[in-house]
Amino acid sequence: LREANLPKNRFGDEGLFVLHAGLVSCKALTSLDVGFCRLTAGCVDVLGDIISRCGNLRNVNLRGNELCDRGLASLEPALCSHELRVLNVWDCGLTNESCGTLSNVLRVQRSHLAELHLGWNRIDDAGLLAMAELLRHCKDMAKFVMSYCHLTAASLPVLTNLLHQWSRVEELNLRGQLDARHCPLAMERVDVAVKVQFVAAMVRCETLKTVELSRNWVRDDADVELPGLRRLGLEVQTMLL
């Protein structure tokens, strides 16, 4: 067995305890997907043992489980024990307190990681800034997801710098940060120069194919929005605004 794809089975912590012996015997396992399985921080000792002992993992998908900061911290040694290409902790109940753990994982994985999914966690500006230096060194980053992570305008220069550093990025997902009705990063309140620099950085990414920026600003054609977005010649296959 090379892939254990178990998403949406909802077996919970007790189910993972039952699966433990079978999974740790899969020495050739390269992918573990337990997304939306109703796991909690109460199973992280077993989950960490599975990750640590399962073959040569390249893909770990934990999305949609309420692991919280404490649970992710307990998983840190396991997540550092493989050369991961994909790490998905989308909607795991994390806050910026987890960014120390994520930074330690990035320190180990920066030469390998190609996809990082952090969406629907309260990472916020402080969390992104804490990870920024290590993210800069993830030279193989192809897909970066931070949708609905409570970012504000303060994060635009950080994101701009990351785009300058990533030469292989193909997909950038920042959906749902700046909706003027809900979030503090309403684009009409962002300095024009900062917006231009951010868009220009996207333009220079020759590998960029998909940019997800929807629910970030209200009107695509207003002067207060990203100026000249299409006139700047951003050649991506998909831009969702």
Side-chain angles (χ1 to χ4, degrees), residues 174-231:
L174 300 173
R175 175 183 171 88
Q177 313 293 350
L178 349 153
D179 192 314
R181 294 167 296 176
H182 304 109
C183 299
L185 183 47
M187 288 304 287
E188 60 265 30
R189 298 199 296 268
V190 179
D191 182 81
V192 171
V194 173
K195 292 186 286 188
V196 170
Q197 290 169 6
F198 177 60
V199 175
M202 289 192 290
V203 172
R204 284 194 289 267
C205 287
E206 297 179 355
T207 58
L208 198 58
K209 297 178 181 178
T210 301
V211 179
E212 166 64 279
L213 299 173
S214 59
R215 296 193 65 80
N216 283 316
W217 41 84
V218 180
R219 302 180 306 282
D220 182 33
D221 57 348
D223 291 338
V224 294
E225 306 305 339
L226 287 178
L229 185 61
R230 293 184 176 84
R231 290 195 301 274

Side-chain angles (χ1 to χ4, degrees), residues 5 9 23 32 37-38 106 123 126 128 131 147 165 204:
N5 296 319
N9 278 290
L23 286 173
L32 176 66
C37 288
R38 294 187 175 176
L106 287 170
I123 302 296
L128 178 61
M131 297 185 292
S147 52
Q165 300 299 320
R204 284 194 289 267

Side-chain angles (χ1 to χ4, degrees), residues 3-27:
E3 297 184 2
N5 296 319
L6 304 169
K8 300 182 180 180
N9 278 290
R10 300 183 179 183
F11 42 70
D13 295 349
E14 292 185 2
L16 188 68
F17 300 155
V18 174
L19 292 169
H20 173 260
L23 286 173
V24 296
S25 68
C26 300
K27 301 304 182 183

Side-chain angles (χ1 to χ4, degrees), residues 5-176:
N5 296 319
L6 304 169
K8 300 182 180 180
N9 278 290
R10 300 183 179 183
F11 42 70
D13 295 349
E14 292 185 2
L16 188 68
F17 300 155
V18 174
L19 292 169
H20 173 260
L23 286 173
V24 296
S25 68
C26 300
K27 301 304 182 183
L29 204 64
T30 61
S31 177
L32 176 66
D33 185 346
V34 290
F36 297 103
C37 288
R38 294 187 175 176
L39 304 180
T40 72
C43 76
V44 292
D45 289 343
V46 170
L47 180 57
D49 190 54
I50 292 170
I51 293 172
S52 297
R53 296 170 60 187
C54 273
N56 194 15
L57 284 177
R58 293 291 180 265
N59 180 353
V60 174
N61 194 327
L62 306 173
R63 71 194 188 282
N65 293 300
E66 196 67 16
L67 301 176
C68 301
D69 299 325
R70 178 173 61 89
L72 188 68
S74 297
L75 291 175
E76 180 186 320
L79 294 173
C80 291
S81 65
H82 299 281
E83 295 181 358
L84 297 181
R85 295 290 292 169
V86 178
L87 176 59
N88 191 333
V89 290
W90 187 91
D91 193 19
C92 284
L94 307 180
T95 71
N96 60 19
E97 292 183 13
S98 282
C99 292
T101 298
L102 289 167
S103 293
N104 291 336
V105 174
L106 287 170
R107 187 172 289 106
V108 174
Q109 304 294 351
R110 59 187 177 182
S111 298
H112 321 294
L113 200 63
E115 292 188 19
L116 181 60
H117 301 251
L118 301 174
W120 286 89
N121 293 297
R122 297 185 68 89
I123 302 296
D124 70 34
D125 298 329
L128 178 61
L129 184 61
M131 297 185 292
E133 183 60 28
L134 289 163
L135 284 169
R136 288 179 64 247
H137 294 286
C138 294
K139 300 300 184 182
D140 284 347
M141 187 68 73
K143 185 174 183 178
F144 185 63
V145 178
M146 281 199 74
S147 52
Y148 295 97
C149 281
H150 298 264
L151 303 181
T152 74
S155 285
L156 281 180
V158 177
L159 292 164
T160 299
N161 184 263
L162 291 177
L163 287 171
H164 286 315
Q165 300 299 320
W166 291 340
S167 60
R168 300 182 182 180
V169 62
E170 297 180 0
E171 182 173 343
L172 178 67
N173 188 330
L174 300 173
R175 175 183 171 88

